[in-house]
Amino acid sequence: MRSICCSVSAVYTFTSVIKRRLIIVLLFSLLSPMLLFSSFADASGMTLEKELRTGLEKSRAIIERIEGKLPAGSRITDDIDDLKTLSEDIRITHMLLQERFGIRTGSLKTLGKAKAIAIERHRVMEEGYRKALNEYLSLIDSIPPDGTVSQTTLDILQTLLKTILHKKKRPILGSLPYKHPDYPAKQPDTTLSIKPAYKGGGQTTGPEDTAGTPLAPINNEIAALAQTLNWNPVSIYEWVKNNIETEWYRGCMKGAAETLRQKSGNDCDQAALLVALLRASGFPSRYVRGTIEFFAGRDAPIEKIKNLTGIEDPMKIAEFFQKAGIPYTPVIQGGKIANFRIEHIWVESYIPYANYRGAIIDEHGKTWLGLDTSIKVTGYEYNSPMDIFSHPELVSGSLANIRDKYLSAVQTETPLEYLRSHINTELETGNPPLLYNDFLKTRTLLPEVMNILPNSMQFDQKRITHEYTEIPAELIHKVRFTARDSNNTELLNIELNTFELSNKQVVITYEPETVEDQNIINSYRGLDNTPAYLVRLRPVLKVNGERTAVGKDGPADGRRL
């Protein structure tokens, strides 16, 4: 049997919605002959195949019962009689199936150009099927009438049944095909040091400083927002600073467009949005990368970091940066962590500044300025949520075995929606009535409105290592899709940027490998009605319904995916 194995690896997970079921159909072959029986029985609903499967499954139950009795020396002659009686029914069904196979061979001769391919696949299936059934029936016939049977014979029968009877795959509930990347601790780069434009470096502007890029496009959505902000760099800077929530991970994952839609992003994604808005307004802009130290020179910078991350324990903050993949170094003072140095990305832009600090009243005094929106100077205000453990009725009621309850059936709600509805149901009769949201810790960004651009950065720039007009590929999150058969032959391999996939439907499906395969499917009026062994399929990756990647071909030996 060939199977398709799809693996997804990414630096960070991405948003994707899969609404279409993957169609995975199994093929019989000489090495696994009866798997075919299972496949075309399910596909066409033929009663003979179902009867044969039922008889074989009952036989397996009897064999397991005999195996349980042998060590104790219990009587098994009645069980052997039942097994032999079932084998006669199986033999009759087997003979009828062979007649049906002959009829099918005749019908395949009408398929035109697909005739030769279909007939050869049918022949291979039939030979394998016949060999497996005959071997099984012969072994049952060899058991003597007195019921004497060895464990070796039972083992062989079980092995044959495992080959013949395909174990149906159940839908995956609660298991996701990704894991945390488990980054090692990494320190910021200290090998390079450059001088960006706003520090007196290369200040000559070029077309690339105002051009849209895939990560920071100047599209209708970006241009419309820039227009509502009057193409004003102060308004643009303060809008991003006060409206985009800061998340923590390394590199760009969402890009400008998705950061705008989600109203959240890390330093790199916020920089992409800021660059896109400034360039759309005609201001040359670049990215700057380096090592910074939070709020250096201010009182208790560690308290500011706690507020920004929502984590009270400095050691946990270090662990947080590590898990987010952000290179960091703790700053120790008095034997305690007093601050952190981290790798960071921010923006520089060529803006009229001398007279009105970026508020566009005239075009005089243009200069390159460093700007950052992700490290919020004013910080956040946190609520005081209720302790869920102060309500034991929840712990022993709605929350007891909530995971098992959710996974016990196919759900229309997401896990979070399911949890919220059950907690609300439990609490609505209380006095006073409570809601799920009463137990959530939330934070509110405190806006900072200056109506001018700042004359300094909100962090100490320890070392500036790079200046870009476009974020390099090494800092853009990617996801790889691979499809292989059971022999590890690669059928599909493609790497895509996560910002191109975010909030889009991603589906791995299958399509006929050749025109002949499509003709065979058409002759049976659809894939669900087609005997599985007659066609070959290849994997296809679709993004929002568009075919993005197609497998090279199906399995090389003619078996079904």
Side-chain angles (χ1 to χ4, degrees):
M1 179 189 70
R2 291 271 183 167
S3 62
I4 287 296
C5 174
C6 295
S7 64
V8 178
S9 60
V11 178
Y12 197 87
T13 187
F14 67 99
T15 306
S16 64
V17 181
I18 300 180
K19 296 182 179 178
R20 180 175 173 183
R21 186 180 62 182
L22 305 183
I23 305 172
I24 302 178
V25 193
L26 302 173
L27 173 69
F28 272 78
S29 70
L30 188 59
L31 295 178
S32 53
M34 288 302 294
L35 291 182
L36 171 64
F37 152 69
S38 169
S39 297
F40 69 67
D42 291 341
S44 61
M46 296 179 180
T47 57
L48 285 178
E49 286 88 342
K50 291 181 178 179
E51 288 176 8
L52 181 58
R53 182 180 187 92
T54 299
L56 291 171
E57 288 175 341
K58 289 180 179 179
S59 298
R60 179 161 57 186
I62 293 173
I63 292 171
E64 290 173 352
R65 191 163 68 234
I66 294 172
E67 286 180 322
K69 291 180 178 181
L70 275 184
S74 302
R75 178 184 174 87
I76 61 172
T77 53
D78 291 343
D79 298 307
I80 296 296
D81 288 342
D82 292 342
L83 190 62
K84 286 181 172 288
T85 299
L86 268 175
S87 71
E88 292 306 314
D89 294 338
I90 291 171
R91 195 186 309 275
I92 293 172
T93 306
H94 175 43
M95 293 172 60
L96 293 173
L97 275 173
Q98 291 185 86
E99 291 182 10
R100 175 169 291 174
F101 292 156
I103 296 173
R104 181 170 293 167
T105 301
S107 67
L108 295 176
K109 294 179 180 179
T110 65
L111 291 179
K113 293 182 179 179
K115 175 179 67 176
I117 293 175
I119 290 176
E120 175 58 20
R121 292 173 181 172
H122 180 72
R123 183 192 64 78
V124 171
M125 178 283 301
E126 187 176 2
E127 288 181 358
Y129 161 78
R130 187 183 301 111
K131 178 181 177 181
L133 259 293
N134 288 340
E135 185 176 350
Y136 173 79
L137 292 172
S138 295
L139 193 56
I140 295 293
D141 291 340
S142 69
I143 298 175
D146 62 3
T148 303
V149 63
S150 66
Q151 183 62 51
T152 300
T153 299
L154 296 176
D155 289 343
I156 296 173
L157 285 172
Q158 286 283 38
T159 300
L160 278 171
L161 287 173
K162 285 180 182 178
T163 303
I164 292 171
L165 291 172
H166 169 57
K167 183 178 181 181
K168 292 185 178 180
K169 294 184 178 180
R170 302 299 179 185
I172 298 175
L173 297 174
S175 178
L176 298 175
Y178 61 82
K179 62 180 180 180
H180 196 282
D182 193 22
Y183 297 115
K186 184 178 180 180
Q187 293 189 349
D189 182 12
T190 58
T191 60
L192 298 174
S193 183
I194 64 133
K195 186 180 289 187
Y198 77 100
K199 290 283 189 179
Q203 298 184 347
T204 302
T205 63
E208 63 276 10
D209 294 319
T210 54
T213 65
L215 194 69
I218 303 176
N219 56 23
N220 292 338
E221 194 175 11
I222 294 292
L225 176 59
Q227 183 178 21
T228 63
L229 298 172
N230 298 316
W231 320 104
N232 187 305
V234 171
S235 300
I236 290 170
Y237 169 76
E238 293 197 336
W239 189 93
V240 176
K241 177 180 63 175
N242 294 324
N243 289 276
I244 304 298
E245 283 284 337
T246 295
E247 297 173 331
W248 298 90
Y249 48 89
R250 187 183 186 223
C252 277
M253 183 192 311
K254 300 179 181 180
E258 196 60 31
T259 299
L260 176 57
R261 293 187 193 105
Q262 296 186 21
K263 297 294 190 293
S264 63
N266 73 338
D267 57 333
C268 190
D269 285 322
Q270 289 193 41
L273 177 57
L274 186 59
V275 163
L277 290 168
L278 289 169
R279 288 181 177 179
S281 303
F283 301 106
S285 301
R286 299 172 187 167
Y287 303 92
V288 182
R289 175 183 171 192
T291 300
I292 67 165
E293 189 171 308
F294 288 90
F295 305 105
R298 304 190 186 186
D299 293 337
I302 191 63
E303 297 302 320
K304 290 281 191 179
I305 300 173
K306 291 177 182 180
N307 179 269
L308 291 178
T309 61
I311 302 171
E312 287 297 319
D313 185 348
M315 293 300 295
K316 294 294 184 182
I317 296 175
E319 183 181 347
F320 172 71
F321 286 143
Q322 177 182 335
K323 289 184 176 180
I326 300 172
Y328 74 95
T329 300
V331 177
I332 308 299
Q333 293 178 0
K336 298 180 179 179
I337 297 178
N339 205 335
F340 282 91
R341 292 179 182 175
I342 64 169
E343 182 183 278
H344 195 64
I345 292 176
W346 59 100
V347 172
E348 61 180 359
S349 189
Y350 191 56
I351 294 170
Y353 184 77
N355 292 335
Y356 300 98
R357 299 269 296 272
I360 302 300
I361 297 178
D362 60 47
E363 293 290 323
H364 296 94
K366 289 185 178 180
T367 188
W368 284 93
L369 292 175
L371 301 169
D372 178 79
T373 61
S374 65
I375 296 180
K376 314 298 184 182
V377 176
T378 51
Y380 295 88
E381 184 177 74
Y382 290 85
N383 71 335
S384 299
M386 299 187 66
D387 183 3
I388 196 168
F389 291 102
S390 65
H391 292 264
E393 72 277 9
L394 280 178
V395 179
S396 61
S398 288
L399 297 183
N401 302 317
I402 189 71
R403 178 182 179 276
D404 293 338
K405 292 176 183 177
Y406 181 81
L407 299 179
S408 63
V410 176
Q411 304 290 344
T412 58
E413 296 177 300
T414 66
L416 187 58
E417 290 169 344
Y418 184 86
L419 177 64
R420 181 187 294 113
S421 65
H422 276 64
I423 289 180
N424 284 336
T425 299
E426 189 82 22
L427 292 173
E428 64 185 5
T429 58
N431 187 20
L434 298 172
L435 293 173
Y436 169 86
N437 290 340
D438 294 325
F439 297 89
L440 296 182
K441 183 176 181 179
T442 61
R443 67 179 187 177
T444 303
L445 177 62
L446 300 175
E448 180 188 40
V449 179
M450 299 172 59
N451 295 318
I452 56 174
L453 292 177
N455 59 5
S456 64
M457 306 292 286
Q458 59 266 53
F459 44 73
D460 187 6
Q461 303 152 70
K462 289 301 186 182
R463 185 181 293 268
I464 298 175
T465 57
H466 299 82
E467 182 184 45
Y468 309 116
T469 56
E470 188 171 353
I471 294 294
E474 67 184 77
L475 290 177
I476 298 176
H477 288 259
K478 298 175 177 61
V479 58
R480 180 175 295 279
F481 297 86
T482 61
R484 296 183 177 90
D485 63 18
S486 57
N487 289 332
N488 208 33
T489 301
E490 187 177 277
L491 305 177
L492 182 148
N493 189 336
I494 185 172
E495 184 178 81
L496 300 173
N497 295 321
T498 58
F499 73 83
E500 296 172 331
L501 300 177
S502 186
N503 205 33
K504 294 181 180 178
Q505 182 192 71
V506 181
V507 174
I508 296 178
T509 184
Y510 299 90
E511 66 179 24
E513 180 185 313
T514 63
V515 173
E516 288 76 15
D517 289 303
Q518 184 63 66
N519 289 338
I520 294 172
I521 293 171
N522 292 343
S523 72
Y524 281 90
R525 299 182 181 180
L527 181 62
D528 288 344
N529 300 321
T530 305
Y533 63 89
L534 289 180
V535 293
R536 288 164 45 129
L537 304 177
R538 60 183 177 183
V540 180
L541 177 69
K542 292 185 177 181
V543 178
N544 272 4
E546 297 283 336
R547 294 164 82 246
T548 303
V550 178
K552 297 175 183 177
D553 52 32
D557 60 2
R559 302 176 199 169
R560 172 75 76 87
L561 295 176

